[in-house]
Amino acid sequence: MYSANMTNFLKKKNYLFYFLGLALFFLLYSLGVNQIKSHNNVKKSSLNSFLNSNEFNNIKEYVFKNLNSPYKEFNYIVQNNDTIEKILKKHNIVNQDINSVAASVVKKKLSNIFAKTEVKIVAKEESGVNKIISLSYPINEITTVEIKRNKDTFIINEIVLKLEKKEVVLSNTIKKNLYSSAIEAGIEPNIIVEFANMYGFEVDFQRDIRSGDKFEVYYEQYIDENNVVRNTGKIIYASMFVNNKELALYNFKFNNKDGYYDVDGKSVIKTLMKTPINGARLSSSFGLRRHPILGYNKLHQGTDFAAPRGTPIMASGSGVILRAQKYKGYGNFVSIKHNSTYVTAYGHMSKYGRGVRKGVRVDQGQIIGYVGSTGMSTGPHLHYEVIKNGKRINSQRLKLPTGKTLTNEARNRFEVERIKIDVRLAALR
Ligand SMILES: [Zn+2]
C-alpha cells in the first residue's frame, strides 16, 4: 500500500513536471512569437526558421535542463583602451565569433565604445569556450548597438531612443563660482562650458564675478520617455548680470552660422579672447617680476594661467599657425597670425591639438594644445602672449575691436527673432 501510494505520487509528480514543462514551453513559444511580431513584419517562414533555429532549441534545452546552465550573462564595465575585441577575449569568446563581430562592427562604424559604459554579453559555453548569443553596448547617449546570433552569423541593429526636444530656462545667483552655481541650478556641464565660452570675450570669470551676480540660460534639452535628459541642444538665449550691468545674448543664424548677438545686434565675437583657456587662474601677469627659474628681475612679456596638465588651450582668434614646435624656453609652442596686426603665442604645452601644424588655418575657440610644463617652467601653466605689430603687449589690458553689427535686412530679421525669443522666454520662466 505504501509503495503503491508512492508510485502514484511519483506518477503524479511526473505529470506535474511534464505539465509545467509544457506550460513553460508554450509560454516561451508565445513570447518568441510576440517578440517576432513586435520586431515588425517578419514573415511566417522566418518564424518557423526561428522555431527550428539553434537559438530556440537552446532556449528549450535550457528550460528543460534548467540545472547547470551553459548560458552565462556578463555585464562588463568598459575600461580605458578597451575595444570590443579585447572585451570579448577577456570573456573567453571563441575566436571565430570575435573575428566575425569585430569585423562587422568596424565595417558598420559601430565599434566606438566608451569607458564606464556597460557591455552586456550573453554567451553559451561549448567545449571550454563561449559562443556569443547576444551582445549589446551603447555608442552614444541615445544609441545602443544590439548584436544577435543567427546560426553562424550575426544580426546587428542600432536601437535609437526616441527623444523629445524640450526648451528650459534655468537661472541662479552666483555664490562661490559660476560652475558650482550652474550645476546647482541643474544645468548640464556642456551647456555651462558653452555659456562660459559665449561670455569669454566680455567677462573674466576669475576676476569680474562677484557673489550675488545672476545668470539665466534658455536652451534645448532632449528627453527620453522617462523624462531623463539624454542630450542638450543649443543655447537660445543667455543673460548675465555682472559688473553692475546686464548682458543678454540672443542666438541668431547669420550666413548660415549660429552666433550670439546683444540687444543691439552686435556680435559677441571679438578678434581675440582675453583668456584662451577655461577654468584657469591668472597666476602671473604681464610686467616686471622676479623670474621663478632665472632668479632675477625680468620683464614678463606674457600672461600666465595656472591650470591642471591636459587642460585644453583654445586659439584666441581665428588665423593661420605660424609655428607649432619646440621653441627656446617656451617648450612646446604654438603661434598664430590673426591679421596684419596681431599674433598670439602659447607656451609650455604638454601636447598639440589634433592637426595643429605650421600653415594650418584654425578657428577661434579651436583646441590648439593642452596645458603642460615643457621648456623653462616650474609647473603646469599656459604662458600666453599677444603680439601687436611685432611688440608684446599686455593681453589683459587689450582694448579689442568688437565684432560685426547686424545691419539692414539681417538686422530686421534679428529684431523679429529677438522678440519671438523674449515672448517664449517670458512664458517659460
Ligand atoms: Zn609666462
Side-chain angles (χ1 to χ4, degrees):
M1 169 137 168
Y2 176 82
S3 73
N5 260 349
M6 192 62 187
T7 319
N8 236 339
F9 173 74
L10 280 175
K11 264 188 191 157
K12 267 187 192 158
K13 209 183 164 196
N14 266 342
Y15 275 124
L16 197 69
F17 180 79
Y18 284 126
F19 178 75
L20 278 174
L22 272 170
L24 262 168
F25 176 84
F26 281 109
L27 181 71
L28 277 163
Y29 180 95
S30 63
L31 274 177
V33 171
N34 275 334
Q35 214 178 15
I36 279 180
K37 269 185 188 157
S38 70
H39 271 251
N40 56 41
N41 56 48
V42 180
K43 282 177 202 137
K44 259 227 164 100
S45 62
S46 67
L47 168 64
N48 287 330
S49 81
F50 172 73
L51 292 177
N52 295 325
S53 73
N54 283 335
E55 194 181 337
F56 191 68
N57 283 327
N58 286 339
I59 295 168
K60 275 190 295 181
E61 203 185 351
Y62 172 58
V63 169
F64 287 109
K65 263 196 182 168
N66 214 329
L67 286 165
N68 207 0
S69 161
Y71 289 90
K72 300 169 181 174
E73 196 180 323
F74 305 105
N75 295 314
Y76 174 82
I77 304 295
V78 177
Q79 313 289 305
N80 287 329
N81 304 320
D82 264 343
T83 61
I84 289 296
E85 217 170 334
K86 276 189 196 169
I87 293 169
L88 295 177
K89 275 192 182 132
K90 281 182 192 176
H91 291 88
N92 192 29
I93 301 293
V94 63
N95 279 333
Q96 195 190 336
D97 284 4
I98 296 179
N99 296 339
S100 168
V101 165
S104 356
V105 293
V106 166
K107 200 173 152 198
K108 292 192 161 199
K109 297 196 167 73
L110 298 174
S111 59
N112 278 341
I113 48 169
F114 297 95
K116 296 189 185 103
T117 60
E118 193 181 55
V119 173
K120 289 183 182 172
I121 307 167
V122 176
K124 188 192 177 206
E125 193 184 325
E126 262 179 36
S127 35
V129 285
N130 292 324
K131 287 177 85 173
I132 297 173
I133 301 298
S134 69
L135 169 70
S136 75
Y137 53 91
I139 48 167
N140 59 42
E141 299 283 326
I142 57 161
T143 315
T144 300
V145 174
E146 281 192 5
I147 298 166
K148 287 203 167 111
R149 172 179 293 279
N150 179 30
K151 292 178 183 159
D152 285 328
T153 60
F154 292 96
I155 298 166
I156 302 178
N157 281 309
E158 279 174 82
I159 314 292
V160 182
L161 266 179
K162 282 223 161 56
L163 298 181
E164 195 188 316
K165 189 159 90 178
K166 183 184 164 191
E167 296 184 341
V168 289
V169 178
L170 297 174
S171 61
N172 206 356
T173 302
I174 295 175
K175 284 162 210 107
K176 272 194 267 156
N177 57 55
L178 173 76
Y179 191 82
S180 61
S181 306
I183 288 285
E184 190 186 81
I187 301 170
E188 292 75 15
N190 56 322
I191 291 290
I192 301 172
V193 169
E194 207 183 316
F195 176 83
N197 279 341
M198 281 165 61
Y199 283 91
F201 300 96
E202 293 294 334
V203 179
D204 178 336
F205 284 100
Q206 298 308 312
R207 289 183 297 173
D208 293 341
I209 300 279
R210 299 278 175 274
S211 168
D213 286 344
K214 291 184 174 67
F215 64 89
E216 184 171 56
V217 197
Y218 169 21
Y219 65 100
E220 298 163 338
Q221 289 179 332
Y222 291 91
I223 54 169
D224 67 13
E225 293 132 353
N226 298 317
N227 230 11
V228 174
V229 179
R230 292 291 180 163
N231 211 344
T232 54
K234 63 171 186 270
I235 295 180
I236 297 163
Y237 161 94
S239 89
M240 236 190 135
F241 187 85
V242 63
N243 290 338
N244 288 318
K245 59 176 191 218
E246 191 190 13
L247 178 62
L249 297 174
Y250 294 81
N251 180 291
F252 181 66
K253 226 187 191 94
F254 180 67
N255 283 344
N256 258 329
K257 237 181 161 175
D258 278 312
Y260 292 97
Y261 298 83
D262 68 11
V263 283
D264 300 319
K266 198 194 292 176
S267 166
V268 74
I269 303 269
K270 299 200 170 143
T271 50
L272 296 175
M273 285 179 179
K274 261 189 179 172
T275 308
I277 183 167
N278 278 317
R281 174 175 61 83
L282 193 147
S283 55
S284 175
S285 46
F286 190 92
L288 207 63
R289 64 155 185 185
R290 196 166 178 81
H291 194 277
I293 287 177
L294 300 173
Y296 52 84
N297 283 342
K298 197 176 180 242
L299 181 65
H300 184 225
Q301 301 205 81
T303 307
D304 289 349
F305 296 99
R309 185 190 157 84
T311 304
I313 298 164
M314 298 176 281
S316 75
S318 51
V320 175
I321 297 191
L322 288 179
R323 195 191 285 264
Q325 62 183 96
K326 275 203 168 53
Y327 183 53
K328 295 183 183 167
Y330 290 103
N332 292 332
F333 175 86
V334 168
S335 61
I336 304 169
K337 185 182 169 73
H338 302 287
N339 52 32
S340 54
T341 313
Y342 287 103
V343 168
T344 53
Y346 314 77
H348 310 307
M349 293 177 170
S350 57
K351 59 170 185 169
Y352 300 100
R354 189 182 293 171
V356 169
R357 39 175 203 281
K358 189 179 168 156
V360 168
R361 260 208 86 79
V362 287
D363 285 331
Q364 187 167 51
Q366 186 178 330
I367 293 168
I368 51 163
Y370 299 87
V371 169
S373 190
T374 52
M376 215 180 349
S377 164
T378 50
H381 76 283
L382 164 67
H383 171 93
Y384 174 53
E385 287 180 1
V386 174
I387 302 145
K388 185 180 182 184
N389 297 320
K391 192 170 175 284
R392 291 180 180 84
I393 60 162
N394 186 346
S395 60
Q396 304 308 291
R397 288 226 197 104
L398 187 61
K399 287 270 176 283
L400 295 156
T402 53
K404 63 177 173 299
T405 299
L406 299 168
T407 54
N408 304 330
E409 203 260 326
R411 180 64 197 271
N412 292 339
R413 275 198 300 122
F414 173 73
E415 286 305 316
V416 172
E417 194 56 37
R418 186 170 71 81
I419 292 164
K420 277 190 201 163
I421 290 173
D422 279 339
V423 169
R424 279 184 290 159
L425 186 60
L428 285 165
R429 268 189 189 127

